[in-house]
Structures are given as structure tokens and as C-alpha cells.
Amino acid sequence: MASTTSGDVLPTGGRIFTSIPDVFFIPEFVFGGLVWILVASTRVYLANPLGWVMFVSVFCFVVTTLWFFIFLCGANQGSIWPSLDVGYHFVAVVFYLSAAVDLAYITILTSQTVTVVGFLKIYRLDIAAVVMSYVATLLYFLHTIFSAIRWKSS
């Protein structure tokens, strides 16, 4: 991977595809989008916290997209951007971890109704969404750690 210590602190343009932690943008899009799609394709019941999961997945997807384009266009060259990078990704980790725990809890509760016809498909979608949300949490966590290392070295 290319180093980002050649003058500017944060990479711009095509260099974001070759620098750590910015290489995590694309997997964050993919797994965050999968959480969004999988949760949107299930049934929502009245006392169900899937609204929080949808908020987190949509919020992180939109903000990560904006963040990606800011980095791609090179508008991230101020001295505040490395700390903002760490801060946003830390918030995303906390949000995604709370959403993943809520989603796992709902999946455990719905596992008791799997015997009813039609619930097996929803249960499988919920399991896939739980796995994808924990993978998204891990990706955002790795991005936070590497962004913090880059911030401290700048």
C-alpha cells in the first residue's frame, strides 16, 4: 500500500484506493448496503427496533458516500480532517455495534417462530443481516484504528 506521508496528511484522488485506511471505503459501502437491503426486505413488527438498524445503515451509507467523495475530490486537506476522519468512523462503529446487537436480539426472538410457514425466509434474511452488520462494524472499527494511527503520526 502507498504511504500517505509525502507532504499531505490525507490522500486525495485515486490514491484513496491504495492507502490504508481509505481502502476500507468500498467494503464499507458493500456490507453497509447489504445490511440496508436485508433489513428492508424483512417484516417489521410493532415493538421492533429495526428502525434503529435502518437509520444506522442508511446514515452510515450516505455519510460514507459523502466522505468518500470529499476524499476523492481532494477537499480534505485542512488540518482538521484527520481528526474528523477518526471521529466519524468512531461514531459509525458505535452506531453499527448497537444496531448489530439490536438486530441479533430480534433475530433470536424471531427464531422461536421459525416453525410457522413463511418465517424461515425472514429468519434467514435476519441471520444474513446480523452477519453483514457485524462485518460492517469490523470494517468501520479497522478504519477507525488506522485513521487514528494516521492522525497521531501527522
Side-chain angles (χ1 to χ4, degrees):
M1 295 288 156
S3 174
T4 62
T5 60
S6 63
D8 52 349
V9 177
L10 297 174
T12 60
R15 289 187 341 180
I16 63 173
F17 296 110
T18 61
S19 66
I20 291 182
D22 304 315
V23 74
F24 291 116
F25 275 129
I26 302 301
E28 288 168 358
F29 286 138
V30 170
F31 288 102
L34 283 172
V35 172
W36 182 4
I37 291 166
L38 290 168
V39 172
S41 66
T42 63
R43 290 188 186 136
V44 176
Y45 300 101
L46 292 178
N48 200 335
L50 288 181
W52 173 248
V53 178
M54 283 298 291
F55 168 76
V56 168
S57 61
V58 171
F59 173 79
C60 288
F61 189 84
V62 168
V63 174
T64 301
T65 302
L66 292 173
W67 207 254
F68 175 74
F69 284 119
I70 287 170
F71 274 55
L72 194 62
C73 293
N76 59 346
Q77 293 305 308
S79 62
I80 190 76
W81 284 97
S83 58
L84 286 176
D85 191 31
V86 174
Y88 163 65
H89 285 94
F90 178 75
V91 168
V93 167
V94 172
F95 277 13
Y96 253 114
L97 185 60
S98 67
V101 169
D102 284 345
L103 190 56
Y105 176 71
I106 291 302
T107 303
I108 290 170
L109 289 181
T110 59
S111 69
Q112 298 160 354
T113 59
V114 170
T115 57
V116 178
V117 176
F119 280 101
L120 183 61
K121 179 182 177 185
I122 294 170
Y123 180 63
R124 288 178 178 162
L125 288 172
D126 284 342
I127 289 173
V130 168
V131 171
M132 296 304 153
S133 64
Y134 278 111
V135 170
T137 303
L138 176 66
L139 289 169
Y140 278 106
F141 178 73
L142 291 173
H143 200 140
T144 303
I145 295 299
F146 288 119
S147 291
I149 291 170
R150 177 172 59 193
W151 174 50
K152 286 298 183 184
S153 68
S154 64

